[in-house]
Amino acid sequence: MVNPKTEPDVYIGKFLNNRYLIIDLIGKGGMGRVYLAEDAAKGGKQVALKILMLNLVNQHISQRFGREIFIGAQLGRKSKNIVRVLSYGMTDERTPFYVMEYLQGKNLKQILKVKPLAIEQFLDICYQICLGLQCAHQGISLKGEIYPVVHRDIKPENIFITENSKQKENVKILDFGIAKFLTERSGMTLTDSFIGSLPYCSPEHMEGRKLLDVRSDIYSLGVLMFEMLTAKHPFQTQSNSFGNWYQAHRFQVPPTFVEVDRQLKIPQELQDLVTNCLAKEVSDRPQNIKEIIAVLEQIKQQIEQPNSSSNDIWETLPTVQLVPITSITEKECLQKIWPKNKPVDLIGFPHLLYTSQGLIPTFWAMLPKQEIAQFLSKNHSIEFINKINVYPMILWVTVLYDIQISLIRWLSYFIDLQETRGQKIVKVLAETGYYHLLLFAIEEPTNCPQVVTLTLSAKQRQQLTDWLTTKEDIQSTELVAAEQAKNILKTEYEKIKLEILHNLAVNKPQEQIEIKNWFSKIIDKVLQIFKHYQ
């Protein structure tokens, strides 16, 4: 950060592209300057605008800057934990720039100057950082191919913390794509012109290995995690030289948390996680962000078990008294009859039902009578599949199965968030936290004989809320057609079916049936059964 009043700036006060009025200089780095601007097309809404430095403007560098814009635009739409790129353009001097969402808050460096994070705050912030990194590591699409993105510059300055109206901390990762752009200059290698923040670089990054993978980011995350918990860096050097930092990262053993501060009370699992992330060899670290997320979730659950009143990482919604309400509304559902405008067939559809307890989300499905009896006491799974950056649509899936007779039903429905009805269904689902599944027998289609109440996880409720918010930021010109979106979601659906079935199986340890004996039977039926609900 710089003080804009200490040096004149040629852009302050300019009106770029007849749209962006430059107000103030708010940041400066090795590659560009970041300004506070007002977007005239959005009623003067504040945005952040990054302009490439004049001394770097040439065809080759501008192309790489354009690639940074492309990466940022894709990732920002995929994850709420990555800063969004909104637009781009050229100044009158033909200098490229791009526009980002304007964030108000503090970066982690500013926060850690005061004190380390409490465990609960650490888990919340670290979880969101991991979600952003996981999104990047899963890759972006370019000419039909998926390319993973390695950040290469994870450090406290690039983690920005904002607060929403509910005083919940939101994490945004900044500067995706910059390190990759700079390390791939024509004619240069990392050893010729090293680019990176020395205190947070992995050993392999400093050694100039050309093929860095996601585990380099995991090392940098380990350094950041240590600092978040202690407000101190895990390594000490005599100077800030490249050689000293390389010796530290490659050979120095980080201190234990007790050695840093005997007063720290950090769960052993969390200490082990940080230590593993800081492993010198890439093969000794967690191999992907998913492994880290799993440990964080486990630690969070262990901490909250003795204190059920503490806030969940994903839970920002009011608590619902499920038992007394559902017992009343289930009885009201049993009085419902199959709509006359719906065919008597193997179909399913959602319906918002007005009850004595208010508006309740329900899903009505018609199945063979014999199957209904089998499913009532068996396992189930709820899935919500989306590609909000492609089209604001959600595929809502309820899976019912009976492992003993290899019977499975996939009840699915597309919810279009462009439509008011779809928005209302998702909003009520998120607020309520459960829905009633009304099962009608195809042989006796009039009355509802059975009702099952299915509960959403706190994470699913938060996801639904986030998707409703995210769809507001998507321009209609950026979207594919609704039918094309359905095909994309169906493809994603097919990819996760085996994982869903596996999870359902391992969650029933009392069923002493080997997966090999029944899994293939279920898979043989999946495609045939799925056709009834498309």
Side-chain angles (χ1 to χ4, degrees):
M1 302 293 289
V2 299
N3 184 351
K5 301 187 186 306
T6 61
E7 55 181 281
D9 193 287
V10 297
Y11 289 112
I12 293 177
K14 279 196 172 185
F15 202 54
L16 302 185
N17 286 13
N18 294 319
R19 178 171 179 177
Y20 302 106
L21 177 63
I22 306 297
I23 303 298
D24 208 352
L25 176 64
I26 57 176
K28 183 173 71 172
M31 197 177 127
R33 295 188 171 207
V34 180
Y35 297 86
L36 172 65
E38 292 180 352
D39 185 353
K42 297 288 186 180
K45 180 180 179 181
Q46 290 186 327
V47 294
L49 192 146
K50 182 172 183 177
I51 304 179
L52 182 65
M53 282 190 175
L54 287 171
N55 61 345
L56 292 179
V57 176
N58 60 55
Q59 183 178 2
H60 181 73
I61 297 295
S62 295
Q63 288 175 348
R64 294 289 192 244
F65 191 70
R67 187 164 132 192
E68 177 187 343
I69 296 171
F70 175 75
I71 291 172
Q74 283 213 37
L75 292 180
R77 288 173 185 158
K78 289 175 63 179
S79 172
K80 70 170 186 174
N81 297 119
I82 296 174
V83 65
R84 287 204 68 186
V85 172
L86 306 174
S87 182
Y88 63 93
M90 302 282 283
T91 69
D92 294 340
E93 298 81 17
R94 307 300 297 168
T95 304
F97 70 85
Y98 66 89
V99 182
M100 301 171 282
E101 59 182 322
Y102 175 59
L103 305 175
Q104 292 181 289
K106 296 180 179 180
N107 63 41
L108 260 184
K109 184 175 182 179
Q110 295 169 309
I111 294 173
L112 294 176
K113 279 183 178 180
V114 180
K115 62 179 180 179
L117 303 182
I119 295 296
E120 291 78 6
Q121 187 183 25
F122 167 87
L123 291 171
D124 191 5
I125 291 176
C126 192
Y127 177 80
Q128 293 185 61
I129 295 172
C130 288
L131 288 183
L133 283 177
Q134 185 180 47
C135 174
H137 293 171
Q138 288 171 346
I140 61 174
S141 176
L142 179 62
K143 296 181 180 179
E145 298 290 334
I146 300 297
Y147 294 91
V149 176
V150 182
H151 190 288
R152 307 189 189 195
D153 199 20
I154 293 297
K155 58 183 179 180
E157 296 94 317
N158 283 338
I159 306 299
F160 203 88
I161 313 297
T162 67
E163 285 190 356
N164 61 19
S165 58
K166 298 180 180 179
Q167 302 301 307
K168 177 178 173 61
E169 292 175 321
N170 294 326
V171 175
K172 296 279 187 178
I173 303 178
L174 310 180
D175 286 342
F176 265 93
I178 294 178
K180 186 172 186 179
F181 150 68
L182 287 171
T183 56
E184 292 186 0
R185 290 181 185 174
S186 178
M188 286 189 177
T189 65
L190 283 171
T191 53
D192 295 327
S193 178
F194 176 82
I195 300 297
S197 300
L198 295 175
Y200 301 91
C201 285
S202 66
E204 64 270 21
H205 186 172
M206 300 191 74
E207 289 169 351
R209 299 185 197 177
K210 293 183 178 180
L211 297 178
L212 295 181
D213 61 23
V214 300
R215 293 170 294 183
S216 179
D217 277 350
I218 287 174
Y219 180 89
S220 301
L221 177 62
V223 178
L224 181 62
M225 292 165 72
F226 189 98
E227 217 168 349
M228 290 164 69
L229 290 166
T230 66
K232 296 181 181 179
H233 197 280
F235 305 114
Q236 302 299 319
T237 61
Q238 294 180 348
S239 72
N240 202 37
S241 70
F242 181 94
N244 277 333
W245 277 114
Y246 174 71
Q247 290 292 321
H249 286 302
R250 174 47 74 192
F251 302 110
Q252 199 176 119
V253 178
T256 65
F257 287 96
V258 173
E259 291 172 338
V260 174
D261 186 347
R262 291 184 177 275
Q263 302 302 315
L264 290 175
K265 297 186 182 301
I266 300 173
Q268 187 60 49
E269 296 87 350
L270 185 52
Q271 296 184 44
D272 294 341
L273 174 64
V274 176
T275 300
N276 292 338
C277 289
L278 289 172
K280 307 301 183 183
E281 299 299 328
V282 294
S283 59
D284 295 332
R285 300 172 202 157
Q287 298 301 287
N288 53 60
I289 293 293
K290 185 178 180 181
E291 293 182 19
I292 299 176
I293 290 176
V295 177
L296 293 175
E297 290 176 337
Q298 182 181 8
I299 296 169
K300 180 68 175 178
Q301 186 177 19
Q302 291 173 352
I303 290 176
E304 292 188 345
Q305 275 180 348
N307 183 12
S308 61
S309 63
S310 58
N311 292 329
D312 188 88
I313 287 179
W314 306 280
E315 185 62 88
T316 60
L317 300 168
T319 302
V320 178
Q321 297 291 333
L322 293 181
V323 176
I325 293 179
T326 57
S327 62
I328 295 172
T329 53
E330 280 184 1
K331 292 180 180 178
E332 295 182 41
C333 289
L334 291 171
Q335 302 171 10
K336 302 304 173 184
I337 62 173
W338 188 255
K340 292 182 180 180
N341 62 343
K342 296 291 184 182
V344 177
D345 201 353
L346 299 176
I347 64 170
F349 58 91
H351 177 64
L352 294 179
L353 189 65
Y354 287 93
T355 71
S356 61
Q357 303 299 320
L359 196 60
I360 300 296
T362 65
F363 193 95
W364 300 32
M366 185 166 280
L367 299 173
K369 186 176 182 179
Q370 185 177 0
E371 287 188 14
I372 293 176
Q374 292 289 341
F375 287 136
L376 288 181
S377 61
K378 302 302 178 181
N379 211 350
H380 69 271
S381 177
I382 304 168
E383 305 291 335
F384 295 103
I385 306 165
N386 87 97
K387 287 286 183 180
I388 297 296
N389 59 309
V390 174
Y391 187 94
M393 180 179 291
I394 297 171
L395 181 56
W396 176 11
V397 182
T398 304
V399 187
L400 306 174
Y401 92 120
D402 183 341
I403 190 174
Q404 291 180 322
I405 61 174
S406 301
L407 179 63
I408 188 166
R409 284 288 182 181
W410 307 82
L411 312 177
S412 60
Y413 191 86
F414 293 102
I415 304 177
D416 193 334
L417 296 183
Q418 292 282 74
E419 300 175 354
T420 303
R421 178 175 178 271
Q423 296 171 20
K424 193 168 185 179
I425 289 173
V426 172
K427 183 175 184 294
V428 175
L429 262 175
E431 291 176 347
T432 307
Y434 66 88
Y435 62 97
H436 295 319
L437 177 62
L438 282 67
L439 298 173
F440 292 80
I442 195 169
E443 296 88 349
E444 301 171 2
T446 303
N447 296 317
C448 174
Q450 300 291 349
V451 176
V452 180
T453 299
L454 305 180
T455 304
L456 277 61
S457 68
K459 185 177 180 180
Q460 287 174 325
R461 296 172 68 185
Q462 185 62 59
Q463 284 177 329
L464 294 176
T465 303
D466 291 341
W467 293 337
L468 276 175
T469 303
T470 302
K471 68 98 183 169
E472 299 291 345
D473 298 328
I474 301 175
Q475 301 292 330
S476 59
T477 54
E478 301 171 347
L479 303 177
V480 303
E483 287 304 314
Q484 185 179 352
K486 289 182 179 180
N487 291 331
I488 293 172
L489 290 179
K490 286 179 183 178
T491 301
E492 294 298 315
Y493 184 15
E494 292 297 330
K495 290 179 182 178
I496 67 171
K497 278 188 170 181
L498 293 179
E499 182 180 350
I500 294 171
L501 290 176
H502 175 72
N503 291 338
L504 285 170
V506 298
N507 286 336
K508 297 283 284 183
Q510 69 273 23
E511 305 279 2
Q512 300 299 321
I513 302 175
E514 291 190 13
I515 293 177
K516 292 181 180 179
N517 294 336
W518 61 266
F519 198 64
S520 59
K521 297 179 183 178
I522 295 179
I523 300 306
D524 291 340
K525 297 182 180 181
V526 164
L527 292 178
Q528 296 178 355
I529 297 173
F530 181 57
K531 291 179 181 177
H532 290 294
Y533 292 93
Q534 305 305 312

